[in-house]
Amino acid sequence: MDVVIDNLPFLLKGAYYTLLITVVSMFFGLIIGLITAIARLKGNRFFRTIARVYVSIIRGTPPLVQIVIVYYGLVDYGIELGALTAAYIALSINIGAYVSEAFRGAIQAVPLGQTEAALATGMTEGQAIRRIVIPQAIRIAIPPLGNTFVGMLKETSLVSVIAVTELLRSAQLLVAQYYVYMPFYLSIAVMYWIMSTLFTFILNKIEKRLSVY
């Protein structure tokens, strides 16, 4: 294990990039997911169709293929992205589709009477959604969003195929240097487990806090 301790700073740097990719992708994924969910529920026929097709394609194709298309495929059209930028874009688009389903279910779980009461007070439909429906839907969506967030943390390992030096890629580089496998891969497994457990704990606290309200 001495070789792991000696290279711990390098592995921690990889863990930092794993967390960075997770947080950035989840942030933009939440925005994409919320817009998509509203489009599917409240949009006109055109926007509903676009949203359904987007969700179907993303959920029906492997995340690894999506990452490769964004990083390598767009080059054919003159669009060259950095590895980290491609990772952000691909994972944000991917997570947005799953988040949209969580938000859609949460919005549908808000009693229709809430919206009707808001409209009766003179609010527009947009105001009712923004002020009444979405705040309640977010509280309902916290548990599935938490699972999605933890899943995203682990899916970041896929971006190692486009040479982003996150946690898995860091271990692969060390394996290539020292020609030992088990110490490095066991170490990153423990680090993934610690991060997942920490995020689960934080999200459980947030869920309990929001349930009070």
Side-chain angles (χ1 to χ4, degrees), residues 16-205:
Y16 162 76
Y17 279 107
T18 291
L19 290 174
L20 179 64
I21 294 168
T22 301
V23 172
V24 172
S25 300
M26 195 66 189
F27 173 76
F28 288 106
L30 286 170
I31 296 172
I32 295 170
L34 183 57
I35 293 172
T36 303
I38 293 174
R40 291 191 68 179
L41 294 172
K42 305 294 183 181
N44 58 34
R45 184 175 181 180
F46 174 76
F47 287 113
R48 287 199 305 270
T49 301
I50 293 295
R52 279 199 299 268
V53 170
Y54 156 66
V55 172
S56 177
I57 291 174
I58 297 302
R59 295 185 70 184
T61 55
L64 182 59
V65 173
Q66 297 163 18
I67 293 168
V68 170
I69 287 174
V70 171
Y71 186 63
Y72 294 109
L74 292 180
V75 174
D76 292 344
Y77 301 95
I79 302 174
E80 296 187 20
L81 301 172
L84 197 57
T85 302
Y88 291 148
I89 293 173
L91 293 180
S92 295
I93 293 172
N94 176 268
I95 203 68
Y98 293 91
V99 167
S100 72
E101 291 298 281
F103 274 133
R104 187 166 69 95
I107 290 171
Q108 289 177 323
V110 177
L112 184 60
Q114 299 274 351
T115 303
E116 293 174 346
L119 295 175
T121 63
M123 288 187 187
T124 65
E125 185 175 8
Q127 290 173 328
I129 292 173
R130 188 172 64 253
R131 298 178 183 177
I132 306 299
V133 177
I134 290 179
Q136 295 183 71
I138 289 175
R139 290 198 290 272
I140 296 171
I142 286 294
L145 288 178
N147 293 333
T148 303
F149 191 86
V150 173
M152 170 56 61
L153 174 69
K154 291 177 283 190
E155 281 192 5
T156 56
S157 61
L158 296 174
V159 302
S160 61
V161 299
I162 57 173
V164 175
T165 312
E166 43 67 67
L167 195 51
L168 177 60
R169 179 65 176 169
S170 298
Q172 291 172 338
L173 292 173
L174 291 174
V175 167
Q177 180 179 349
Y178 292 96
Y179 298 101
V180 290
Y181 294 85
M182 191 63 75
F184 293 119
Y185 287 138
L186 278 179
S187 298
I188 66 169
V190 170
M191 295 172 82
Y192 275 119
W193 174 72
I194 291 173
M195 289 188 289
S196 298
T197 302
L198 179 62
F199 276 124
T200 301
F201 174 78
I202 293 172
L203 291 166
N204 286 338
K205 287 292 185 182

